């Protein structure tokens, strides 16, 4: 949905094409260049140098279709689209949301040079926004590209579930729609925005607990394996390098945990603020345990789960906080899906990305699990804080 | 009719009806085998059904087009038949550019030249409705092997039909006195950023142009010399973007220069039902993007659709013509 497309008002001349082809060395190998030309019926020699092929292709006349094909070939493989979501709780109708989206279109369209397509479907208001993006760090041909994002506002019992690509402009539009809903009924209770975030949770093990609950909490799915984990630490975590005096609180905490840490290990842990593990069976690995023991918490995770139904799918999911320490900027994605063949076996080939994007079922399950995990962690934190408070009162 | 006769007749039909309209000239003997000079080919001879030539617009090189004519019924157009023809033509091109056999019959001592290959696949029963591009994509790439600097072009049934329609349209416009004779028509090439055109005045349509998204002609009638361009457009016009992009190319190449009163006729050969309205909307949007500044010049860009014809060079018809 956020795929880059060229702006049709800017014709690409031979130099533009030459620059684009020359710079896309990794994507456009000799074999790929030869294939691009062959698609137009022109067979070139795969024994020609890359530079010679680039020159020959750049000189060919390119219409819109030829250019789009070329840009697609230079674009990186379809990236997994990361989404983010929030809830807008309140008693609003689909029509209220549709009207609010139209208000935002009227406010922003000219000012921000955005083109809106707003549709009201069964239980969903879908706002598709196209805009032109300028990135002067790129080759001229791809400096100005047309981008788009989609904000989906889906009606639930208690309000709306909002999902969109994890990008700033989409978040602005959601904020503007929420404001518009407030302004249409200034007397009534405005929409209450609920993000998946753990800003108030400062204990590493609780931060990790959120992800553990999430990956085990997908309704109708069983966790199969964890394939990648990113661990982060709070800035205030104990510096353990003996040469680093650190702050007093940190040193105290370091002493508090009462572990013996040799100098080499202490240095490693002190210097590393974020670390990534990749492999299989990560949660059972000693490396993972090592991180957890040293106050790292999980801030990003990729895992696979299998659906419990006989005809169910297997899927690879991803969830992360983009601002690990703050516990904000929650993004998620359904990365890959394997469907079952008629004999009940999982297919070897993945479901095409476009189909995965269109099917919102898995995304909904993931969102639901994230909200539940967040609520559970926040509630247990509240209980913990209350009991700590009671302890302090008791001892004081 | 024997195959050799069919090929001879096709060669003259294709030559007269299509490529001569695009400014190509046939040279040397048609339907001729010549001696192979590369041992690795393990062949005694290579075939040349017909050889055309034109001067490359961007260099001083004369391009010879060694053409392999295939006339297939719809059911004979298969991966295997095309792969075999492609592979054989690759060897022919390799040999033509290095050995004495081909150059004795067709080559030139007077000018720099190169020999490209053309596989021209004509569907004689007009019943082929497969996706030729897909078929081509599924052929093992080993069949397309070519030595460095050599190239060949494959024109399948859809491409042949497009070119046939354009050629017919040109002849018809000429018949209606809307176009001057070939000598007063120029297939038009812009100066590119990295290379300037060399040929001035009357020129032929290059292989790059004939396989590209559009064929551009600039008539240069003897009496009056109003700047005019005709563009035969290969796309179906099903999107607004493609026309906006085409319009911007006219400005980029100074075809709608502010100092000249040029007109452009965009002739869409195989139009989608929405092509006319898409073209009008593209003009509107393009003009809006330039705050109306180019409106007058854009008014001189007209959309026209081309009546299609289906020509059959079938064995039976060729036989009847002959008889």
């Amino acid at each position: 949905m956020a795929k880059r497309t060229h702006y049709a008002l800017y014709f690409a001349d031979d130099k533009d094409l030459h620059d684009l082809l020359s710079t896309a060395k990794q994507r456009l190998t000799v074999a790929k260049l030869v294939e691009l030309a062959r698609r137009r019926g022109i067979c070139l020699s795969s024994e020609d140098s890359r530079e010679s092929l680039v020159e020959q292709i750049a000189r060919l006349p390119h219409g819109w279709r030829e250019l789009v094909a070329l840009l697609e070939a230079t674009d990186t493989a379809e990236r997994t689209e990361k989404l983010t979501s929030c809830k807008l709780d309140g008693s609003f109708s689909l029509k209220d949301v549709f009207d609010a989206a139209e208000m935002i279109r009227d406010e922003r369209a000219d000012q921000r040079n955005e083109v809106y397509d707003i549709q009201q479907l069964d239980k969903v208001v879908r706002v598709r926004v196209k805009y032109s993006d300028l990135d002067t760090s790129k080759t001229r041909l791809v400096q100005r590209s047309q981008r788009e994002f989609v904000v989906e506002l889906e009606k639930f019992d208690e309000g709306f579930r909002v999902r969109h690509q994890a990008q700033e402009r989409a978040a602005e539009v959601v904020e503007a729609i929420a404001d518009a809903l407030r302004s249409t009924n200034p007397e009534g209770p405005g929409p209450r925005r609920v993000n998946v975030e753990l800003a108030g949770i400062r204990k590493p093990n609780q931060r990790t607990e959120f992800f553990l609950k999430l990956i085990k909490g997908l309704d109708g799915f069983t966790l199969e394996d964890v394939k990648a984990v990113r661990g982060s630490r709070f800035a205030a975590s104990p510096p353990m390098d003996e040469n680093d005096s650190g702050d007093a609180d940190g040193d105290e905490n370091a002493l508090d945990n009462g572990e013996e840490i040799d100098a080499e290990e202490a240095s490693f842990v002190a210097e590393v603020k974020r670390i990534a593990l990749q492999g299989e069976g990560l949660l059972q690995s000693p490396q993972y345990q090592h991180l957890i023991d040293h106050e790292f918490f999980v801030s990003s995770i990729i895992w696979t789960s299998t659906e419990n139904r006989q005809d169910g799918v297997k899927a690879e999911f991803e969830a992360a906080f983009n601002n690990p320490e703050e516990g904000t900027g929650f993004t998620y994605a359904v990365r890959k899906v394997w469907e079952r063949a008629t004999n009940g076996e999982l297919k070897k080939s993945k479901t095409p990305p476009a189909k995965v994007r269109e099917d919102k079922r898995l995304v909904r399950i993931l969102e639901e699990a994230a909200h539940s995990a967040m609520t559970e962690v926040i509630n247990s934190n509240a209980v913990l804080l209350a009991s700590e408070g009671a302890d302090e009162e008791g001892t004081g | 009719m024997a195959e050799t006769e069919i090929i001879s007749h096709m060669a003259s039909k294709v030559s007269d009806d299509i490529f001569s309209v695009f400014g190509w000239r046939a040279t040397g003997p048609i339907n001729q085998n010549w001696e192979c000079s590369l041992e690795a080919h393990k062949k005694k001879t290579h075939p040349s059904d017909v050889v055309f030539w034109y001067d490359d617009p961007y260099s001083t090189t004369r391009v010879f087009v060694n053409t392999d004519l295939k006339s297939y019924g719809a059911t004979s157009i298969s991966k295997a038949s095309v792969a075999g023809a492609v592979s054989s033509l690759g060897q022919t091109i390799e040999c033509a550019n290095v050995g004495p056999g081909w150059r004795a019959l067709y080559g030139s001592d007077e000018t720099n030249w190169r020999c490209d290959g053309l596989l021209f696949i004509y569907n004689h029963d007009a019943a082929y409705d497969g996706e030729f591009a897909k078929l081509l994509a599924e052929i093992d790439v080993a069949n397309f092997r070519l030595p460095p600097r050599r190239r060949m072009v494959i024109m399948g049934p859809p491409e042949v039909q497009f070119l046939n329609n354009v050629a017919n349209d040109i002849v018809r416009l000429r018949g209606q006195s809307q176009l001057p004779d070939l000598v007063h028509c120029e297939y038009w090439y812009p100066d590119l950023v990295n290379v300037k055109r060399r040929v001035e005045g009357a020129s032929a349509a290059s292989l790059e142009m004939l396989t590209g998204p559009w064929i551009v002609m600039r008539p240069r009638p003897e009496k009056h010399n109003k700047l005019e361009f005709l563009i035969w457009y290969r796309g179906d016009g099903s999107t607004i973007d493609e026309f906006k992009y085409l319009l911007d190319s006219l400005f980029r190449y100074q075809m709608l220069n502010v100092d000249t009163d040029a007109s452009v006729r965009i002739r869409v050969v195989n139009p989608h039902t929405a092509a006319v309205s898409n073209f009008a909307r593209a003009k509107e949007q393009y003009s809006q993007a330039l705050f109306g500044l180019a409106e007058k010049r854009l008014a001189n860009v007209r959309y026209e659709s081309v009546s299609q014809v289906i020509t059959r060079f079938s064995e039976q018809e060729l036989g009847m013509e002959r008889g």
Side-chain angles (χ1 to χ4, degrees):
Chain A
M1 282 193 283
K3 204 165 170 52
R4 185 184 74 197
T5 51
H6 183 63
Y7 206 46
L9 287 174
Y10 290 85
F11 181 74
D13 62 30
D14 58 308
K15 183 172 184 307
D16 294 326
L17 297 172
H18 191 279
D19 290 350
L20 178 75
L21 295 167
S22 301
T23 49
K25 278 184 186 158
Q26 283 193 327
R27 301 285 306 162
L28 294 183
T29 55
V30 163
K32 190 74 194 171
L33 288 170
V34 170
E35 185 202 320
L36 272 173
R38 194 165 56 235
R39 278 197 227 159
R40 316 172 49 130
I42 298 180
C43 305
L44 302 175
S45 171
S46 52
E47 292 170 37
D48 276 344
S49 68
R50 189 174 183 283
E51 177 55 24
S52 162
L53 291 169
V54 164
E55 243 170 59
Q56 293 180 66
I57 295 173
R59 281 185 198 180
L60 297 174
H62 281 70
W64 178 242
R65 281 186 181 79
E66 290 79 10
L67 179 74
V68 169
L70 202 146
L71 282 171
E72 278 175 3
T74 57
D75 217 346
T76 46
E78 282 200 83
R79 293 177 209 100
T80 306
E81 189 168 67
K82 286 191 186 157
L83 299 173
T84 189
S85 83
C86 65
K87 285 182 187 173
L88 289 179
D89 286 352
S91 53
F92 305 99
S93 66
L94 281 161
K95 186 175 180 308
D96 292 336
V97 172
F98 183 86
D99 291 347
E102 286 207 322
M103 274 176 64
I104 298 314
R105 176 193 62 197
D106 297 344
E107 264 178 42
R108 288 177 61 104
D110 286 345
Q111 205 181 353
R112 306 295 301 272
N113 205 8
E114 293 169 345
V115 178
Y116 283 71
D117 175 21
I118 307 169
Q119 282 188 61
Q120 185 178 325
L121 309 161
D122 182 34
K123 291 191 176 172
V124 176
V125 173
R126 183 175 294 157
V127 185
R128 187 183 293 272
V129 182
K130 287 185 183 172
Y131 62 98
S132 171
D133 197 27
L134 194 67
D135 180 353
T136 49
S137 69
K138 294 204 164 108
T139 294
R140 201 167 74 96
L141 180 54
V142 290
Q143 274 181 3
R144 185 180 291 277
S145 57
Q146 201 162 336
R147 291 172 181 272
E148 67 175 54
F149 60 82
V150 177
V151 178
E152 285 183 339
L153 302 105
E154 190 171 2
K155 183 92 182 85
F156 274 80
D157 294 341
E158 69 276 24
F160 280 82
R161 172 76 48 80
V162 185
R163 78 174 65 87
H164 55 86
Q165 286 89 3
Q167 55 168 284
E168 206 175 321
R169 199 183 277 247
E172 280 175 26
V173 168
V174 172
E175 198 54 53
I177 290 174
D179 286 346
L181 280 169
R182 270 181 214 110
S183 69
T184 50
N185 183 12
E187 303 302 316
R192 196 171 68 86
R193 184 170 175 158
V194 185
N195 292 327
V196 175
E197 56 184 38
L198 299 174
I201 309 291
R202 303 293 292 174
K203 290 198 178 341
N205 63 340
Q206 285 188 309
R207 286 288 185 90
T208 298
E209 193 60 26
F210 165 79
F211 283 99
L212 297 180
K213 284 183 186 301
L214 167 60
I215 63 178
K216 290 172 187 164
L218 296 181
D219 189 25
F221 279 78
T222 302
L223 172 66
E224 191 178 280
D225 194 18
V226 172
K227 301 188 139 183
V229 166
R230 192 178 292 273
S232 302
R233 297 175 86 211
F234 288 115
S237 289
M240 295 174 206
D241 190 328
E242 55 190 5
N243 297 323
D244 184 347
S245 60
D247 60 74
D249 289 348
D251 284 337
E252 272 175 31
N253 286 341
L255 293 170
D256 278 351
N257 73 23
E259 283 187 31
E260 286 182 13
I261 298 169
D262 64 37
E264 191 184 342
E265 184 177 282
S267 165
F268 155 72
V269 176
E271 285 162 13
V272 176
K273 286 292 173 206
R274 292 182 190 178
I275 197 156
L277 298 180
Q278 285 186 317
E280 289 181 2
L282 285 181
L283 294 191
Q284 288 75 44
S285 70
Q287 290 83 358
Y288 171 77
Q289 200 51 51
H290 186 78
L291 293 180
I292 296 301
D293 290 346
H294 289 95
E295 301 205 338
F296 279 88
F297 56 86
V298 174
S299 57
S300 171
I301 194 162
I302 295 174
W303 77 99
T304 51
S305 291
T306 309
E307 201 166 11
N308 302 331
R309 288 192 339 227
Q310 265 193 336
D311 60 344
V313 300
K314 174 180 163 177
E316 186 175 294
F317 300 94
E318 179 175 2
F321 284 108
N322 283 345
N323 313 311
E325 281 196 42
E326 290 84 0
T328 58
F330 182 69
T331 62
Y332 55 91
V334 178
R335 290 165 58 90
K336 296 169 189 171
V337 174
W338 294 267
E339 291 169 337
R340 286 190 191 275
T342 42
N343 64 3
E345 295 285 315
L346 283 169
K347 289 182 185 171
K348 283 193 178 145
S349 57
K350 289 172 290 189
T351 308
K355 194 176 168 195
V356 173
R357 273 200 299 270
E358 286 307 308
D359 183 6
K360 302 291 184 237
R361 187 175 72 92
L362 299 182
V363 166
R364 280 194 203 102
I365 292 172
L366 182 51
E367 286 163 359
E368 202 51 52
H371 277 279
S372 300
M374 175 181 72
T375 308
E376 281 182 45
V377 169
I378 288 174
N379 287 345
S380 70
N381 186 52
V383 170
L384 193 69
L385 288 177
S387 72
E388 280 177 2
D391 286 350
E392 276 174 25
E393 274 176 31
T395 53
Chain B
M1 192 189 296
E3 194 197 337
T4 49
E5 280 182 83
I6 294 172
I7 287 175
S8 299
H9 277 268
M10 258 188 82
S12 62
K13 291 289 284 184
V14 165
S15 176
D16 293 347
D17 293 357
I18 300 183
F19 290 117
S20 70
V21 180
F22 294 121
W24 289 18
R25 296 181 207 179
T27 184
I30 58 170
N31 198 14
Q32 179 78 38
N33 287 340
W34 42 270
E35 203 173 327
C36 172
S37 54
L38 295 173
E39 254 181 57
H41 288 173
K42 293 175 184 159
K43 283 182 177 173
K44 282 189 178 161
T45 60
H46 293 289
S48 289
D49 289 345
V50 56
V51 176
F52 297 102
W53 67 265
Y54 65 86
D55 289 326
D56 179 36
Y58 291 110
S59 71
T60 53
T61 303
R62 177 158 294 178
V63 180
F64 287 98
V65 185
N66 189 88
T67 308
D68 185 4
L69 298 168
K70 298 288 182 205
S71 175
Y72 291 143
T75 51
S76 305
I77 301 176
S78 65
K79 272 194 277 185
S81 61
V82 176
V86 165
S87 171
S88 163
L89 183 60
Q91 289 190 340
T92 304
I93 296 314
E94 180 175 23
C95 209
N97 280 283
V98 297
W102 187 90
R103 95 182 42 206
L105 294 168
Y106 306 102
S108 165
D109 299 333
E110 309 296 323
T111 178
N112 293 317
W113 59 269
R114 69 164 198 264
C115 177
D116 287 354
L118 170 61
L119 178 59
F120 183 96
I121 302 173
Y122 176 73
N123 170 218
H124 63 65
D125 56 13
Y128 183 72
D129 58 0
E131 288 183 55
F132 188 75
K134 200 174 160 206
L135 179 145
L136 213 53
E138 287 170 355
I139 292 174
D140 184 352
V141 292
N143 291 291
F144 296 96
R145 200 201 76 78
L146 282 170
R149 302 182 304 284
R150 306 290 169 241
R151 64 161 77 184
M152 59 183 166
V153 167
I154 300 168
M155 292 179 181
E159 289 75 31
V160 170
Q161 202 186 334
F162 170 74
L163 294 181
N164 194 29
N165 278 318
V166 174
N168 266 292
D169 193 45
I170 291 170
V171 171
R172 192 165 47 226
L173 290 175
R174 218 163 253 154
Q176 294 166 356
S177 303
Q178 291 190 51
L179 276 181
D181 290 342
L182 180 63
V183 289
H184 294 114
C185 286
E186 162 190 345
Y187 287 95
W188 189 83
Y189 301 88
D191 281 330
L192 301 179
V193 179
N194 288 330
V195 60
K196 308 299 173 213
R197 61 174 291 183
R198 297 291 189 94
V199 178
E200 294 195 356
S203 62
S206 66
L207 277 167
E208 291 83 346
M209 182 180 269
L210 294 180
T211 52
W214 41 63
I215 294 170
V216 186
M217 179 190 275
R218 178 182 170 187
R220 290 178 177 271
E222 279 178 298
K223 287 181 183 166
H224 58 97
N225 201 13
K226 184 179 176 300
L227 188 58
E228 185 185 30
F229 295 97
L230 283 88
I231 298 178
W232 285 271
Y233 184 68
R234 186 188 293 269
D236 65 358
S238 59
T239 65
I240 299 171
D241 277 348
E242 64 188 286
F243 284 129
K244 283 201 287 196
Y245 195 71
L246 174 60
L247 290 173
D248 196 53
S249 78
L250 305 180
F251 284 92
R252 180 65 72 92
Y253 289 140
Q254 309 274 315
M255 293 158 83
L256 289 173
N257 194 307
V258 72
D259 301 323
T260 53
D261 190 20
S263 66
V264 179
R265 298 168 67 178
I266 312 256
R267 296 184 67 80
V268 182
V269 178
N270 187 20
H272 185 269
T273 47
V276 186
S277 64
N278 285 342
F279 183 78
R281 290 173 71 187
K283 267 170 83 169
E284 264 171 43
Q285 290 179 13
Y286 192 87
S287 176
Q288 274 169 14
L290 297 178
F291 306 103
L293 286 176
E295 208 162 323
K296 193 172 159 236
R297 281 185 275 166
L298 279 171
N300 289 331
V301 184
R302 298 203 309 270
Y303 172 99
E304 297 166 353
S305 61
V306 172
S307 324
Q308 292 201 49
V309 291
I310 297 175
T311 307
R312 297 186 186 202
F313 308 141
S314 73
E315 185 177 343
Q316 192 182 14
E317 284 177 43
L318 289 168
M320 282 168 66
E321 272 183 20
R322 209 180 177 209

